[in-house]
Amino acid sequence: MAVAYEPGGSYSVRVDDVEYLRVDGVGYLARVYRPEGPGPFPVLVDIHGGAWSGSDRLTNEVTSLPLAQSGLLIVSIDFRIAPEHPYPAQVQDANYAVRWLKAHAGEFGGDGSRVGVIGRSSGGHTALLLGMRPNDKRYDALPLTEAMDVDASVAYVLTLWPVLDSYGRYLIAKEQGVEHLVKAGEGYFLTEEAMREGNPQEIIERGEQEALPPVQVVHGSADTNVPLHLVERFAENYQKAGGDLELEVFPDQPHTFAAKPGPLTDQAVAVMKRWIAKQV
């Protein structure tokens, strides 16, 4: 039986890197933040941001470590990135990571029966696609040979400043001349058709979702990378479709406002802990 999760828990954490995935002869690592205790602990796959084309598993430590210290097994993954690996490569890798963790969580003191996922910015986009389409044949294309019957369904999706309307954000970036965001979108999706097909907002509008796991969105009201009105529209549509979504807005805060140590990050982590406790 899994350990009851308490947001105010306090554990020492062991940190290890393990190879969880190998594609075309290239290995990809996961950084495992393991609470030191009898467990098994609730588990969470952590997907970094970086406009689909940068960053790595190490960048989320500022939130991953305190979440692990509260009694969560956090597995922060590296994965294939654009432009070398366009859509849906990142979703495939995250889908595989969820299945891999379900099969191997016990080796790290985790409970693989209820796996959550957390994603930031473009990682939030990937997390939402994973949560809404856990059995999409394109997304689960990487076989997990030791557990072929395990699926990638998740218990909940936690997102920080997520790109939840990839096409809407692309159009705004083009209109405003934000070239690096335009190039990032085009480099990952290659075509506007793919950008819209893999757009969580439009998936909901088209009624194409396979699942509607509980979602939390942590967002800053002054985010110009992902304007708040896009987030509010997604939240409204997700709830209308029957999903449970909690939107936590931090006033006057920009994109990635909780990416460095400090009081705001502490507040955001506290919000996440309370919400996770409701899910597990």
Side-chain angles (χ1 to χ4, degrees):
M1 182 178 294
V3 172
Y5 176 66
E6 297 291 341
S10 179
Y11 292 86
S12 297
V13 174
R14 173 178 170 177
V15 180
D16 295 296
D17 287 324
V18 300
E19 182 180 300
Y20 79 98
L21 171 65
R22 182 162 287 269
V23 182
D24 297 329
V26 179
Y28 294 87
L29 297 179
R31 172 149 290 194
V32 180
Y33 299 85
R34 175 178 179 172
E36 294 190 325
F41 296 98
V43 297
L44 192 58
V45 173
D46 193 336
I47 306 171
H48 68 73
W52 301 289
S53 57
S55 197
D56 59 33
R57 71 190 187 284
L58 308 181
T59 58
N60 298 336
E61 182 171 320
V62 68
T63 48
S64 296
L65 183 57
L67 287 174
Q69 289 170 336
S70 71
L72 298 168
L73 175 68
I74 308 293
V75 178
S76 186
I77 60 171
D78 280 343
F79 44 80
R80 291 172 292 169
I81 60 175
E84 183 179 359
H85 302 288
Y87 172 79
Q90 291 182 28
V91 194
Q92 291 174 343
D93 296 354
N95 180 295
Y96 181 93
V98 168
R99 290 180 282 129
W100 178 86
L101 186 53
K102 286 183 177 182
H104 295 276
E107 300 168 21
F108 306 102
D111 174 19
S113 66
R114 281 178 60 83
V115 175
V117 61
I118 178 172
R120 299 155 177 78
S121 195
S122 60
H125 169 270
T126 297
L128 283 164
L129 289 184
L130 171 65
M132 292 164 64
R133 290 173 165 175
N135 299 305
D136 189 296
K137 293 305 177 186
R138 298 163 302 164
Y139 297 169
D140 69 0
L142 301 176
L144 181 66
T145 55
E146 66 268 33
M148 295 295 289
D149 59 339
V150 173
D151 70 14
S153 59
V154 295
Y156 59 92
V157 178
L158 201 164
T159 62
L160 285 68
W161 42 89
V163 182
L164 34 66
D165 184 350
S166 46
Y167 186 60
R169 201 279 289 273
Y170 172 73
L171 293 179
I172 290 171
K174 283 189 72 173
E175 180 181 347
Q176 296 179 345
V178 186
E179 195 61 27
H180 71 282
L181 294 182
V182 173
K183 288 183 177 179
E186 292 174 347
Y188 181 51
F189 290 102
L190 302 183
T191 68
E192 290 190 27
E193 180 182 5
M195 195 180 298
R196 302 189 69 172
E197 186 283 322
N199 182 3
Q201 173 66 51
E202 293 187 74
I203 290 169
I204 291 289
E205 292 174 353
R206 296 190 298 259
E208 294 177 357
Q209 69 276 2
E210 299 171 3
L212 290 169
V215 172
Q216 183 184 53
V217 179
V218 176
H219 208 75
S221 67
D223 192 328
T224 56
N225 186 308
V226 182
L228 182 59
H229 72 269
L230 294 181
V231 177
E232 292 173 331
R233 184 176 69 161
F234 179 82
E236 180 181 358
N237 286 2
Y238 197 86
Q239 291 163 345
K240 283 182 178 178
D244 178 9
L245 186 146
E246 178 181 296
L247 173 57
E248 289 282 350
V249 178
F250 281 65
D252 305 318
Q253 295 307 312
H255 200 66
T256 70
F257 69 89
K260 296 180 179 179
L264 275 173
T265 297
D266 294 342
Q267 291 175 34
V269 169
V271 164
M272 290 185 273
K273 287 178 181 178
R274 287 195 296 269
W275 186 79
I276 292 170
K278 297 177 185 177
Q279 312 310 317
V280 303

